[in-house]
């Protein structure tokens, strides 16, 4: 396996975040609720703003290159103990080498630090590698279905990890 370091992006790394996020949107537009064109137009301040506050943005680094990303949103409102895993992506050059698992494990660890007891996510229908990865970490389909906000012709399914406390801490 390729050595993978997982880091949380911090304020001051907005340009770094912009580059990896736009790379993800360009590579896999069918997997995200947003679009490359929309986010490429964001001013630098918007990228910095996204790194301030409670939302955690984690990046996978291999051989000194940012090669994956995932976000974790803390619980709120109706589900205060349920974190939300978002914007998961791994560079095709390192897929299948464990980076995705490392990102998900780090995201679950971050959710724990946020006080979450459950974690939810949405995955595009037909993305079997992602579905297999999430299932390997204990996520199960909740039965809730929707459509991708960036392309309503694409279906997506809601997955839930109901007991974060039962997942081995990383």
């Amino acid at each position: 396996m390729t050595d993978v370091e997982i880091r949380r992006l911090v304020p001051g790394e907005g340009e770094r975040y912009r580059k990896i996020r736009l790379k993800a949107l360009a590579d896999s537009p069918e997997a995200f609720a947003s679009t490359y064109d929309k986010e490429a137009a964001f001013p630098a301040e918007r990228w910095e703003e996204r790194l301030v506050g409670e939302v955690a943005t984690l990046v996978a680094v291999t051989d000194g290159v940012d090669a994956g990303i995932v976000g974790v949103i803390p619980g709120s409102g109706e589900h205060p103990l349920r974190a939300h895993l978002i914007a998961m992506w791994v560079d095709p050059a390192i897929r299948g080498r464990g980076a995705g698992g490392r990102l998900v494990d780090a995201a679950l660890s971050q959710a724990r630090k946020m006080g979450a007891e459950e974690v939810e996510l949405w995955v595009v229908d037909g993305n079997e590698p992602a579905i297999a990865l999430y299932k390997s970490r204990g996520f199960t389909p909740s039965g809730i279905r929707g459509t991708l906000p960036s392309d309503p012709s694409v279906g997506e399914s809601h997955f839930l990890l109901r007991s974060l406390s039962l997942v081995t801490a990383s």
Side-chain angles (χ1 to χ4, degrees):
M1 180 184 119
T2 304
D3 281 342
V4 177
E5 174 192 358
I6 308 296
R7 291 194 53 248
R8 182 174 179 171
L9 295 179
V10 296
E13 294 184 302
E15 180 58 23
R16 181 178 183 188
Y17 179 30
R18 178 184 177 280
K19 286 178 183 176
I20 186 78
R21 175 70 173 163
L22 292 180
K23 186 175 180 181
L25 288 166
D27 172 69
S28 302
E30 71 287 348
F32 296 102
S34 190
T35 66
Y36 180 94
D37 289 341
K38 177 182 175 183
E39 294 197 20
F42 289 169
E45 301 81 38
R46 180 88 179 260
W47 294 100
E48 284 298 328
E49 289 169 3
R50 287 179 155 193
L51 297 177
V52 176
E54 295 180 329
V55 175
T57 301
L58 308 174
V59 64
V61 182
T62 182
D63 298 326
V65 176
D66 293 340
I69 193 166
V70 67
V72 184
I73 300 173
S76 65
E78 187 178 327
H79 299 288
L81 300 177
R82 181 184 294 172
H84 190 88
L85 188 150
I86 61 166
M88 172 77 179
W89 176 80
V90 174
D91 190 308
I94 66 162
R95 287 182 189 158
R97 299 183 192 168
R102 296 279 311 278
L103 276 168
V104 172
D105 292 345
L108 296 178
S109 178
Q110 184 65 49
R112 244 185 236 95
K113 290 175 189 172
M114 293 173 167
E117 294 178 3
E118 300 178 327
V119 180
E120 67 182 343
L121 60 86
W122 288 87
V123 63
V124 172
D125 295 343
N127 187 344
E128 296 307 321
I131 291 168
L133 171 61
Y134 298 138
K135 285 182 174 181
S136 77
R137 296 314 195 258
F139 286 89
T140 57
S142 69
I144 300 170
R145 299 205 19 82
T147 58
L148 196 61
S150 62
D151 183 352
S153 70
V154 176
E156 61 179 353
S157 297
H158 181 260
F159 279 69
L160 184 61
L161 177 61
R162 296 182 191 277
S163 185
L164 187 55
S165 63
L166 297 178
V167 177
T168 305
S170 53

